[in-house]
């Protein structure tokens, strides 16, 4: 198969969909890999590393899309890429369709095969291609919270850890999945006063066992409202795979919070945990609404590409090899986890949650 690895052109996105090590494996399996010029530089991989691994370098993003049967990337295509995508071309990347109608319409129009990292799902219901970036995003959420509590960054001017004689910041984390647990680990490690909520009691018991310093709380509207007045930071980390995220904090609830408090919406890719969230970028990460600072960067791990590219591609490469070795149809027949990743095929939505998000027709995938 001919595989294309383009540069990511989303704002401040420095990750790349395949490392030189991944290229070497693909070439060993008999495939041809084309990488866009300087696509790996942000992650620490110059063109020479890809050439030495067996890839060919192409000068433009159009050249890569034109030649490739399968595109392997990190983030969803953005508008300048829409017209580059061909009928029956396989795209293997994050998509987050349910929160992006223009992207959904563009991929339907292109009649491409869209296989989304975020909905590849194992029999135990875990999401192997989302987990590594959730780990990074959760850890960075706490790191960014500490930064944007600082006065020069627009925050209230509170030190996350406090000091002897001065209380630390209070951090409320909504959702005790991979993102939430990693955010709790880092925030509590900094010395913050951390409370984490979830609707799963077994999950809360697990958190209590592994992080006894973190308080656990059953997630309900009443409990969240009761916590908001004291919270300095609220981290939203709820996920419903492939579907829109519910708004756990409404605009009316912002008036319960103290001026300068910070909302960190890690779920913004799927619509966000907070009604007042809208996607931001690493170049303009925050905005203030009703006196509350909002951080809603849609590609948080893109800020640490030397870590996150390796973490992501460690997980995605085995699946990319299956797709290349067998073709997408045979690969999905043989691997139900990959089958769960197929969202759009030949102008049809084949993932129920995406169709439901927009009230569009769902078609059962026939292989």
């Amino acid at each position: 198969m001919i595989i294309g690895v383009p540069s990511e052109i989303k704002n401040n996105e420095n990750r790349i969909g395949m490392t030189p090590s991944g290229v070497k494996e693909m070439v060993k399996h008999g495939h041809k890999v084309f990488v866009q010029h300087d696509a790996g530089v942000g992650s620490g991989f110059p063109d020479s590393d890809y050439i030495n691994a067996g890839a060919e370098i192409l000068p433009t993003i159009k050249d890569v899309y034109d030649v490739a049967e399968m595109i392997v990337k990190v983030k969803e295509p953005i508008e300048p890429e829409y017209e580059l995508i061909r009928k029956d071309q396989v795209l293997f990347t994050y998509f987050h369709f349910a929160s992006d109608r223009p992207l959904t319409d563009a991929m339907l129009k292109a009649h491409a095969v869209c296989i989304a990292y975020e909905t590849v799902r194992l029999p135990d219901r875990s999401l192997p291609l989302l987990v590594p970036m959730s780990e990074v995003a959760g850890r960075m959420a706490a790191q960014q919270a500490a930064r944007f509590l600082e006065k020069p960054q627009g925050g209230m001017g509170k030190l996350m850890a406090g000091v002897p004689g001065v209380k630390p910041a209070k951090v409320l984390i909504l959702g005790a999945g991979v993102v939430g647990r990693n955010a709790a680990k880092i925030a509590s490690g900094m010395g913050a006063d951390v409370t984490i909520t979830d609707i799963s009691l077994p999950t809360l018991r697990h958190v209590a066992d592994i992080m006894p310093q973190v308080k656990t709380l059953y997630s309900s509207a009443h409990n969240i409202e009761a916590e908001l007045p004291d919270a300095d930071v609220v981290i939203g980390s709820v996920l419903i795979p492939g579907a829109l995220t519910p708004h756990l904090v409404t605009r009316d609830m912002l008036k319960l919070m103290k001026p300068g408090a910070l909302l960190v919406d890690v779920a913004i890719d799927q619509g966000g945990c907070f009604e007042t969230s809208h996607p931001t970028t690493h170049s303009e990460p925050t905005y203030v609404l009703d006196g509350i600072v909002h951080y809603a960067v849609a590609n948080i791990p893109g800020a640490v590409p030397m870590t996150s590219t390796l973490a992501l591609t460690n997980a995605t490469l085995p699946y990319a090899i299956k797709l290349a070795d067998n073709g997408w149809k045979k690969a999905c027949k043989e691997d139900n986890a990959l089958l769960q990743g197929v969202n759009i095929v030949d102008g049809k939505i084949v993932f129920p949650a995406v169709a439901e998000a927009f009230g569009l027709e769902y078609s059962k995938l026939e292989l």
Side-chain angles (χ1 to χ4, degrees), residues 229-251:
D230 289 331
D232 300 304
V233 177
V234 182
I235 296 175
S237 61
V238 172
L239 173 73
I240 301 173
L244 274 174
T245 304
H247 292 149
L248 299 185
V249 175
T250 65
R251 182 160 191 172

Side-chain angles (χ1 to χ4, degrees), residues 105-117:
D105 289 341
M107 295 304 99
L108 290 170
K109 181 181 175 184
H111 284 246
V113 178
C114 301
I115 304 176
Y117 292 164

Side-chain angles (χ1 to χ4, degrees), residues 9-341:
I9 58 174
K10 191 164 185 156
N11 180 285
N12 277 287
E13 180 51 72
N14 293 294
R15 290 172 288 180
I16 184 170
M18 194 174 294
T19 63
S21 173
V23 168
K24 196 166 188 175
E25 286 300 310
M26 282 291 188
V27 170
K28 193 165 75 174
H29 281 247
H31 307 298
K32 203 165 183 65
V33 183
F34 291 90
V35 177
Q36 186 179 343
H37 172 57
D38 280 350
V41 168
S43 294
F45 303 118
D47 286 351
S48 57
D49 287 358
Y50 286 99
I51 293 168
N52 291 337
E56 292 187 33
I57 304 298
L58 293 177
T60 71
I61 193 168
K62 183 178 186 302
D63 293 330
V64 174
Y65 274 94
D66 281 351
V67 75
E69 297 169 272
M70 179 169 71
I71 295 288
V72 178
K73 60 194 308 290
V74 179
K75 291 302 290 179
E76 73 283 349
I78 61 175
E79 192 171 351
E81 294 171 270
Y82 292 170
E83 296 301 318
L84 303 177
I85 297 165
R86 304 191 310 274
K87 177 177 168 58
D88 296 330
Q89 192 170 43
V90 176
L91 278 80
F92 191 38
T93 187
Y94 288 117
F95 279 104
H96 302 287
F97 281 119
S99 62
D100 195 336
R101 180 63 187 265
L103 172 66
T104 304
D105 289 341
M107 295 304 99
L108 290 170
K109 181 181 175 184
H111 284 246
V113 178
C114 301
I115 304 176
Y117 292 164
E118 72 272 10
T119 63
V120 172
R121 197 168 193 171
L122 295 171
D124 65 2
R125 303 183 64 78
S126 64
L127 303 165
L129 307 190
L130 193 60
V131 164
M133 293 302 92
S134 295
E135 291 169 335
V136 173
R139 293 173 185 221
M140 279 201 66
Q143 186 173 304
Q144 298 296 72
R147 175 186 170 199
F148 288 103
L149 279 176
E150 296 171 8
K151 201 69 174 176
Q153 303 295 335
M156 65 172 65
K158 184 171 279 193
L159 181 65
M160 185 80 107
V163 292
V166 182
K167 289 182 179 179
K170 287 200 168 187
V171 178
L172 175 64
I173 300 173
L174 306 180
V178 176
V179 170
R181 294 196 303 274
N182 278 273
K185 180 185 294 184
I186 301 305
S188 63
M190 288 179 178
D193 180 350
V194 180
T195 299
I196 192 167
T197 73
D198 205 276
I199 57 172
S200 167
L201 290 176
T203 298
L204 293 178
R205 288 189 185 103
H206 176 64
V207 171
D209 284 343
I210 63 172
M211 289 184 279
Q213 74 279 20
V214 173
K215 302 180 185 77
T216 60
L217 182 68
Y218 186 80
S219 184
S220 68
H222 173 81
N223 285 345
I224 292 169
E225 287 179 7
E227 291 293 314
L228 288 179
D230 289 331
D232 300 304
V233 177
V234 182
I235 296 175
S237 61
V238 172
L239 173 73
I240 301 173
L244 274 174
T245 304
H247 292 149
L248 299 185
V249 175
T250 65
R251 182 160 191 172
D252 280 346
M253 291 162 74
L254 296 190
K255 67 182 70 162
L256 299 172
M257 302 182 70
K258 60 184 79 169
L262 173 65
L263 298 180
V264 178
D265 202 337
V266 187
I268 193 64
D269 269 338
Q270 291 290 150
C273 287
F274 312 126
E275 185 181 8
T276 48
S277 292
H278 64 72
T280 62
T281 64
H282 287 294
S283 57
E284 294 183 45
T286 63
Y287 60 92
V288 179
L289 185 63
D290 295 347
I292 306 302
V293 181
H294 292 62
Y295 174 97
V297 173
N299 61 326
I300 294 174
V304 287
M306 288 189 173
T307 298
S308 52
T309 288
L310 291 170
L312 176 62
T313 56
N314 286 343
T316 58
L317 181 63
Y319 291 97
I321 288 172
K322 285 182 185 180
L323 290 167
D325 284 353
N326 301 302
W328 76 269
K329 286 186 179 180
K330 185 180 179 189
C332 290
K333 278 181 183 176
E334 294 178 354
D335 189 332
N336 191 62
L338 259 180
L339 181 63
Q340 303 299 312

